[in-house]
Amino acid sequence: MIAIAGEVALCDPRGALFFPDMRLLVVSDLHLEKGSAFARRGRLLPPYDTGATLDLLDTVIADHRPATVISLGDSFHDGFGAERMPPIYRDRLLSLMAGREWIWVAGNHDPDAPADLPGIVAGELALGDLRFRHEPLAGAEPGEIAGHLHPGAVVVQRGRAVRRRCFATDGERLVMPAFGAYTGSLNVLDKAYRGLFRWERFFAHMLGTSRVYAVAHHRLRR
């Protein structure tokens, strides 16, 4: 459990953020239909990413039973991803959306509403002291929750470097790990994160198999 601008949230080791008091689940950077997007450009990848991502999302939703889900941008890998989605996956996504409020935050890969899917589309969203957007802003007010950067962290344990996706936060704002099956990560010590955090208070909450590990800034490696 962590606090962001005073709101308590659970960092789920599968890469989702859950606010129990609001019954709110947040995921980011699903990049659905990334495999088919690459295939259109002649780069063949196994076409299983959408199914694997929906499998994971299904388990997270089943465990937390949120009333609201925010998909924090780049939900689809490109603007035509929703159109390319096979009917079996579309039906599965619709079943996950049924009975709950679903908010698509626009991302740089998918700035428009996904074709023929329900839900609310927003450029950004404010809920109390929290503000949800896809790309984090340097100097933003406390309460920002964003994605886009796909944060990851590296630690050295017993002479061995371990790299994992992570929630990146200083307690005032947070950058979400990428949730999609075909997404990578960018080290939180990269220059792309400059200006986002108070590093003396920073923790990388690294995703383990069954739990999340909080690692202070001074223990991280490139």
Side-chain angles (χ1 to χ4, degrees):
M1 302 296 289
I2 63 171
I4 303 297
E7 291 286 349
V8 175
L10 170 69
C11 295
D12 189 294
R14 291 163 290 193
L17 189 68
F18 183 62
F19 293 88
D21 289 347
M22 295 185 281
R23 295 183 61 205
L24 169 65
L25 183 74
V26 186
V27 291
S28 186
D29 295 275
L30 305 179
H31 284 270
L32 297 169
E33 291 303 307
K34 182 174 182 177
S36 64
F38 273 56
R40 293 179 68 198
R41 302 181 184 95
R43 296 179 60 188
L44 298 183
L45 293 174
Y48 309 124
D49 58 304
T50 295
T53 300
L54 292 178
D55 282 347
L56 189 62
L57 185 58
D58 191 350
T59 65
V60 171
I61 287 176
D63 286 346
H64 296 295
R65 299 186 180 277
T68 303
V69 174
I70 297 177
S71 187
L72 204 55
D74 288 0
S75 304
F76 291 87
H77 190 66
D78 61 27
F80 302 100
E83 296 178 15
R84 291 196 309 275
M85 181 182 284
I88 189 172
Y89 293 149
R90 178 180 293 272
D91 291 345
R92 188 157 184 207
L93 177 56
L94 288 171
S95 72
L96 295 177
M97 300 176 71
R100 53 182 51 92
E101 185 176 29
W102 198 283
I103 301 169
W104 305 102
V105 172
N108 58 298
H109 280 259
D110 56 353
D112 301 315
D116 300 322
L117 286 173
I120 300 168
V121 179
E124 60 181 51
L125 177 70
L127 291 176
D129 293 329
L130 301 177
R131 185 169 294 275
F132 300 88
R133 58 170 60 97
H134 178 60
E135 296 190 37
L137 301 178
E141 293 297 316
E144 179 190 71
I145 296 176
H148 181 62
L149 293 177
H150 299 204
V154 176
V155 294
V156 176
Q157 297 279 10
R158 300 173 185 169
R160 175 174 171 264
V162 178
R163 182 186 183 110
R164 294 286 188 272
R165 292 179 298 144
C166 69
F167 298 88
T169 182
D170 60 2
E172 293 186 352
R173 58 186 55 86
L174 180 143
V175 179
M176 297 279 299
F179 193 85
Y182 280 0
T183 54
S185 64
L186 178 66
N187 194 308
V188 293
L189 300 183
D190 187 88
K191 63 182 181 181
Y193 297 90
R194 291 176 186 168
L196 297 182
F197 302 109
R198 296 174 59 182
W199 291 105
E200 71 276 9
R201 298 176 55 183
F202 179 87
F203 279 85
H205 295 275
M206 299 176 67
L207 308 187
T209 302
S210 59
R211 58 167 290 188
V212 174
Y213 299 86
V215 181
H217 176 251
H218 69 273
R219 293 185 55 206
L220 300 176
R221 300 293 181 264
R222 293 187 181 277

